[in-house]
Amino acid sequence: MNEPDWLVENDGHCHCLDTITPEKEQFSPYRLYRFLTDLENILDTIKDDYLRLRKIVPLVRQLLNDSPWLLLSMLEPNPTTGWDIMTLYDEPSFPLTIQLVAWKQGTISPIHNHGCWGLVALLSGVEKNRFWKRSPQPNLPDQIQEVGEQILTVGDILCFMPSAIHQIEAMGNEPTISFNLYGETDFDSRYEFDPIQGTAQNF
Ligand SMILES: [Fe+2]
């Protein structure tokens, strides 16, 4: 795949990510357990989230190329909530979460950050991401200001730094399905934002 890779900085600025090609070729097929091992090695040896993501993205692309079973999951959004999650990997005391996430078309998420590095690879549908930065005012320390947006189509990968603030909207005529990967969450710095009230709440 030659689709673009994107990164959203902590200030909401979104730009192309300059990924780092692995030094050695991956075993083929590149199965989930091999990906997890490589991921653990990267997280153990690299502490900078930006550098981690530059190395992780090519591995995710290899995994997705070699894992057509992910699209056979038939994950569908819950008709009541508009979304659903299938956990692919989540081990206690191991700081990684891997999920498939489905959003019903027309559904809009809260405005939020994740409090950890993250990565979303779109497998189906069209997803609009809007980005904000913090813009503290004397009486509203959690006020935010919109800074841009990015439309994701199938094959796009969007990475987040821990404080990047975004909101997603499932566009088009079909649900979105994405492969989501998150690092260890700092729950004290994970918020949902209300730009009308100028407030933020931990979640
Ligand atoms: Fe998010």
Side-chain angles (χ1 to χ4, degrees):
M1 288 194 285
N2 294 311
E3 290 81 359
D5 305 310
W6 304 98
L7 176 93
V8 190
E9 301 279 5
N10 286 322
D11 65 0
H13 175 59
C14 180
H15 59 84
C16 280
L17 180 66
D18 184 18
T19 58
I20 300 173
T21 305
E23 289 168 12
K24 61 178 171 52
E25 198 167 321
Q26 267 69 51
F27 193 95
S28 182
Y30 189 51
R31 299 190 189 282
L32 182 58
Y33 75 94
R34 294 188 187 277
F35 170 74
L36 288 167
T37 301
D38 289 342
L39 197 51
E40 185 173 27
N41 289 340
I42 289 173
L43 298 178
D44 274 350
T45 54
I46 299 174
K47 299 306 172 190
D48 178 77
D49 288 337
Y50 179 67
L51 188 53
R52 285 171 166 176
L53 286 164
R54 291 177 65 201
K55 294 197 130 189
I56 291 169
V57 165
L59 302 182
V60 170
R61 286 211 174 277
Q62 186 70 50
L63 174 72
L64 296 178
N65 278 338
D66 288 2
S67 303
W69 58 272
L70 288 172
L71 273 178
L72 299 176
S73 67
M74 307 298 281
L75 180 66
E76 291 184 3
N78 180 310
T80 304
T81 62
W83 56 276
D84 208 350
I85 289 175
M86 176 188 293
T87 298
L88 296 176
Y89 184 81
D90 190 10
E91 180 176 324
S93 304
F94 189 50
L96 280 175
T97 302
I98 305 181
Q99 305 166 331
L100 292 183
V101 180
W103 288 88
K104 183 178 166 188
Q105 57 270 41
T107 309
I108 301 177
S109 77
I111 301 171
H112 62 282
N113 73 315
H114 284 273
C116 61
W117 61 266
L119 178 156
V120 172
L122 198 64
L123 305 181
S124 180
V126 180
E127 182 184 286
K128 178 158 92 173
N129 272 259
R130 297 169 66 191
F131 309 119
W132 283 260
K133 68 175 180 180
R134 283 188 169 273
S135 179
Q137 306 298 310
N139 55 340
L140 294 172
D142 291 317
Q143 184 60 276
I144 56 174
Q145 178 184 350
E146 189 166 357
V147 291
E149 66 179 48
Q150 184 68 45
I151 306 261
L152 301 185
T153 57
V154 171
D156 288 351
I157 290 183
L158 182 67
C159 300
F160 298 95
M161 295 296 276
S163 296
I165 302 168
H166 79 138
Q167 177 189 57
I168 72 148
E169 177 180 354
M171 304 176 71
N173 301 317
E174 58 178 347
T176 62
I177 299 177
S178 58
F179 171 94
N180 294 15
L181 169 64
Y182 302 105
E184 184 172 19
T185 303
D186 174 6
F187 291 98
D188 290 336
S189 64
R190 189 177 72 164
Y191 298 97
E192 286 185 359
F193 296 85
D194 181 338
I196 306 297
Q197 301 296 326
T199 56
Q201 281 197 318
N202 270 122
F203 76 103

